[in-house]
Amino acid sequence: MEKNEISVMENILSANDTIADELREQLGQKGILCLNLMSSPGSGKTSLLERITGYITEGIFAIEGDIQTSLDADRLASAGIKSYQINTGPFGGDCHLEAGWIRDAIAQIDLSGINYLFVENIGNLVCPAEFDVGAHLNGVVLSVTEGEDKSLKYPLAFRNSQFCLISKVDLLPYLDINMQRMIDNVLSINPEIEILIISSKTGEGFDELIEFLEKNRIKN
Amino acid sequence: MEKNEISVMENILSANDTIADELREQLGQKGILCLNLMSSPGSGKTSLLERITGYITEGIFAIEGDIQTSLDADRLASAGIKSYQINTGPFGGDCHLEAGWIRDAIAQIDLSGINYLFVENIGNLVCPAEFDVGAHLNGVVLSVTEGEDKSLKYPLAFRNSQFCLISKVDLLPYLDINMQRMIDNVLSINPEIEILIISSKTGEGFDELIEFLEKNRIKN
């Protein structure tokens, strides 16, 4: 990066962190656990939320980040999840969500009765990892179709996350993927990360995922 | 974006375009067709190049863009493709390649006898589309596992591309994907785009892909 680019970037990140910290505290005081989901495009973040409604039927809200369209918010509405759509705009579109977007969204949302606020970040394994959105927990959703090496090639998202959901495992029989190597690669980047193996199609791993959510729920 | 952020961005884009134009002309004069491959992480760009060596055994060079690791360059070396690895760095890593990176890489590469220069961009469907890398043809690789709606949600990459390779079609029997809708969605963003349906696993569509490359080859 050029020198002036770096200075602009540092200012943006510092302002963002302040907002993120305030947001995290504010949500925590209301008993709302905020989870930021990061992933490549098409890794199954929306399908995951749809499937969760089979287990947790109330108290979920989703903030949907997309460059364009409200396709995901529409899908969630059909599944009975209330959501707020953020579109990051026309010029290619911002490639990540920032805490300010979430703060502005929350100002317009009725959060009474909400226990879990999911932020479905822009599908992008690079830029979202650089911006704290004010979540209590960051998670990466990694589809098995993306290959074993993604955590090595895009380490920051994995380093900055507390959990990793390895998704679409129903497709494993049709892929040349060594699952243990995929897991080991994730752990080599972040030995503390909690890994859950899931399929939103078959429901595999959802008992453990719901348990994980319940364990982290904020009890004020 | 903030006002100063926009001004920095405009300067960067304008400088980038100048370098890209020079690069495109320089490569063209040498009879080298440069193809920029953009996609989500794990859509199969490297597998595609590996498979191409079964048809075109000489005259291919690849510039590999990754945030970290030389895993892709190592794979290509095993497949007999010479390549140059660009790592965009430690701080999250630049999320796209710029023309300056390609110019610097090319200064260090022996391009004699090369007909096709592939630029394997950073796995990211957002940011790379904003930066002209000096290619003659831009292409999006879109895996069927990513879902039907990706062109609608990440339109710029599709709008700025001359071709789209829909990959991993060997997995179609195991997915709930309407292939025609996927194609229609791509065409709704860019009616001029050339779409090829491929599987690097089975070789489906590679005769057409090789024909496409041959058709676009620069004959000075």
Side-chain angles (χ1 to χ4, degrees), chain A residues 1-2 4-5 8-9 11-13 40-43 45-46 66-69 71-72 75 90-95 98 120-127 130 143 145-147 149-150 152-156 159 168 170-171 174-176 201, chain B residues 1-2 4-5 8-9 11-13 40-43 45-46 66-69 71-72 75 90-95 98 120-127 130 143 145-147 149-150 152-156 159 168 170-171 174-176 201:
Chain A
M1 285 197 277
E2 305 287 332
N4 54 354
E5 197 186 346
V8 169
M9 189 71 188
N11 289 341
I12 294 171
L13 284 174
S40 303
S43 68
K45 296 188 293 304
T46 311
D66 277 302
I67 292 170
Q68 287 195 11
T69 81
L71 292 167
D72 288 349
R75 282 174 59 188
F91 172 65
D94 265 6
C95 47
E98 298 182 19
E120 194 181 325
N121 219 309
I122 310 284
N124 181 339
L125 214 42
V126 189
C127 317
E130 295 176 15
S143 148
T145 61
E146 295 172 49
D149 59 359
K150 292 304 160 295
L152 306 179
K153 293 169 78 176
Y154 306 89
L156 194 66
R159 201 170 289 136
K168 302 194 190 181
D170 55 281
L171 292 174
Y174 318 112
L175 302 169
D176 304 319
K201 191 167 184 178
Chain B
M1 284 197 277
E2 305 288 331
N4 55 354
E5 197 186 347
V8 169
M9 189 71 186
N11 289 342
I12 293 171
L13 283 174
S40 303
S43 67
K45 296 189 295 301
T46 311
D66 277 301
I67 292 169
Q68 287 196 10
T69 80
L71 292 168
D72 288 350
R75 282 174 59 189
F91 172 64
D94 265 7
C95 48
E98 299 182 19
E120 194 181 325
N121 219 311
I122 309 286
N124 180 339
L125 214 44
V126 190
C127 317
E130 294 175 16
S143 149
T145 60
E146 294 170 49
D149 59 358
K150 292 304 160 295
L152 307 178
K153 292 169 79 175
Y154 306 89
L156 194 67
R159 201 171 288 136
K168 303 194 189 180
D170 55 281
L171 291 176
Y174 318 112
L175 301 169
D176 304 318
K201 191 167 182 178

Side-chain angles (χ1 to χ4, degrees), chain A residues 14-27:
Chain A
S14 157
N16 181 73
D17 283 352
T18 305
I19 300 172
D21 284 340
E22 288 168 6
L23 208 50
R24 197 164 16 248
E25 196 183 336
Q26 182 193 334
L27 290 168

